[in-house]
Amino acid sequence: MGGAETGADTGRSQSVSLSRPGESSEDEELMGPLSPAITEFEGTQNQNSEGNSNSKNQGGRSRTLKFKQLHQDQRRTGTTANPLIVLRRTAFPETRTERGDAPLHCWASNMSLGLAHGSELLAAVHARREAYLQRCAGGQSASSTGEGGGPLTVLRLLLRTEWRIAVGLGLEYGMLESGIALHGTYGFPMIPASALKGVVAAAAGSSGAAVTEQVRILGGPLVGSRPEGQSAEDAELATTPRRGSVVFLDALPGPSQSTGNGSTTGVTVHRDVVTPHQKPYYQSSLPSLRKDRESASPKPPAEHHQPEPAPFLSLSGNFHVDLLGPGPDLDRAREWLSLAGDEFGIGGRTTAGYGYFHIESRG
């Protein structure tokens, strides 16, 4: 960022200055989409400063945040920025009162990750999806098992979240500790096809469906399949790579439309937080996180451990799910997807209530 000064003693940025539009084209391009968040972040900093200057000394380190408010028209223009680029390429230093990712999460929530003012772009993406599905309908489908072949049909579903979902938490964007699944081109939130197919596979396995049916519809190898107790033929089917008859497409966010009661039917982005209270215990208990794996015993949980809030982004609303395949197999896939929404959930934090959804028909 323009105006960043690097402290020789720490090797990290100690001062950030963001200029007004016109002073630096690079800063103008960066500040535009973040200006609402920066304005709120600046207000928080000024309230905590209590009349002091923006410079703050923390153990001999001076961290200065110089945020200059942008013009209203620049804030409006910046709402069309690509969220994927903003989250990956923008960073702010931490202060005593704010994490560095606070302005990014604030912007993501206010702008709904590009959906707040991107209705025309989203409509164009849906139109291209519709044209693609129309071209595919009527084509031939055949799974690699030689069964389930037939004309391709399209199944359009509406995924309606019960509360919130958190998909893509393991994706780290820039300085953010937790990520969110975003469209690779346009940056708006979505549910990847791999996530949909994964929960369908889990539901199919728990439903007691025959291995041959699971492999025919979803392909192989079946994740978590146990050869014990299976016939030799089923064990071979479950462990051999094969193509399924049903094609899963990324679930796109539904367009924002006003309803009779004044609400909208699009997708909303929420700022959430999870706060582990015994982080040393968890780090020493999980083998994948233990630094000293030869340690005899993990650290016990204790009340003196410092809670560490970890903010993340979650979604609620409606998503458009599109599946391609033979009619009977599509009906079975829908049944499994509905079961997954009720019993398993999708994404992370499912034990805390995230990820559950309902499936409805769509046009």
Side-chain angles (χ1 to χ4, degrees):
M1 286 181 155
E5 301 173 2
T6 304
D9 58 334
T10 62
R12 62 178 295 182
S13 174
Q14 300 295 326
S15 175
V16 177
S17 176
L18 301 178
S19 305
R20 285 186 179 274
E23 297 180 358
S24 169
S25 59
E26 180 180 359
D27 288 344
E28 177 180 353
E29 181 179 0
L30 178 61
M31 282 283 283
L34 287 173
S35 56
I38 287 175
T39 302
E40 178 178 331
F41 189 65
E42 179 184 15
T44 303
Q45 296 301 314
N46 291 337
Q47 292 175 6
N48 293 326
S49 63
E50 297 181 356
N52 295 331
S53 64
N54 286 336
S55 298
K56 295 183 178 181
N57 295 323
Q58 301 179 12
R61 299 178 181 178
S62 174
R63 296 176 179 174
T64 303
L65 302 178
K66 300 176 181 178
F67 292 149
K68 296 184 178 180
Q69 186 175 0
L70 298 180
H71 296 295
Q72 183 68 27
D73 58 345
Q74 289 295 328
R75 290 202 294 268
R76 288 197 297 267
T77 302
T79 58
T80 60
N82 188 311
L84 191 65
I85 297 177
V86 173
L87 295 186
R88 283 184 172 178
R89 302 300 182 189
T90 312
F92 293 93
E94 294 186 0
T95 68
R96 289 187 300 176
T97 58
E98 291 286 352
R99 291 172 54 98
D101 50 16
L104 295 177
H105 282 178
C106 181
W107 175 84
S109 177
N110 290 342
M111 297 297 104
S112 293
L113 286 170
L115 295 176
H117 299 272
S119 57
E120 294 183 0
L121 177 60
L122 182 59
V125 174
H126 279 288
R128 285 193 291 272
R129 168 68 65 85
E130 180 70 20
Y132 168 75
L133 294 175
Q134 290 180 357
R135 288 197 302 268
C136 291
Q140 287 297 118
S141 169
S143 69
S144 58
T145 62
E147 304 176 2
L152 274 174
T153 57
V154 178
L155 180 61
R156 295 180 173 89
L157 302 173
L158 183 68
L159 187 153
R160 192 185 302 275
T161 61
E162 288 188 3
W163 182 49
R164 299 177 183 178
I165 62 174
V167 181
L169 288 177
L171 304 173
E172 295 184 1
Y173 291 141
M175 66 171 294
L176 300 181
E177 295 181 359
S178 60
I180 189 171
L182 301 176
H183 193 282
T185 302
Y186 305 105
F188 48 65
M190 66 166 191
I191 302 177
S194 57
L196 292 172
K197 189 172 183 178
V199 296
V200 168
S206 69
S207 68
V211 172
T212 54
E213 183 182 30
Q214 295 182 55
V215 172
R216 185 188 75 245
I217 297 175
L218 302 175
L222 298 179
V223 178
S225 177
R226 299 179 179 178
E228 299 84 359
Q230 297 180 352
S231 65
E233 181 181 0
D234 286 350
E236 181 182 359
L237 280 174
T239 57
T240 303
R242 301 175 188 272
R243 184 183 64 186
S245 63
V246 173
V247 178
F248 291 76
L249 302 180
D250 294 334
L252 302 177
S256 297
Q257 299 175 349
S258 298
T259 59
N261 58 6
S263 62
T264 59
T265 59
V267 171
T268 303
V269 181
H270 305 275
R271 298 174 64 185
D272 273 327
V273 63
V274 59
T275 307
H277 283 245
Q278 285 89 25
K279 184 176 179 180
Y281 165 71
Y282 292 121
Q283 286 185 329
S284 61
S285 300
L286 297 177
S288 59
L289 297 179
R290 290 174 60 176
K291 297 180 180 179
D292 182 11
R293 301 193 179 188
E294 301 299 327
S295 177
S297 60
K299 297 179 180 179
E303 292 297 330
H304 65 268
H305 290 162
Q306 183 71 18
E308 295 191 21
F312 65 97
L313 297 173
S314 62
L315 308 171
S316 66
N318 303 326
F319 292 85
H320 289 190
V321 177
D322 296 305
L323 307 179
L324 282 167
D329 289 350
L330 288 179
D331 293 337
R332 195 68 165 134
R334 172 180 177 161
E335 179 183 338
W336 291 335
L337 182 59
S338 180
L339 176 62
D342 292 335
E343 301 293 336
F344 294 91
I346 193 169
R349 315 269 190 238
T350 54
T351 56
Y354 293 82
Y356 296 95
F357 55 87
H358 298 294
I359 293 295
E360 304 173 5
S361 297
R362 191 188 93 244

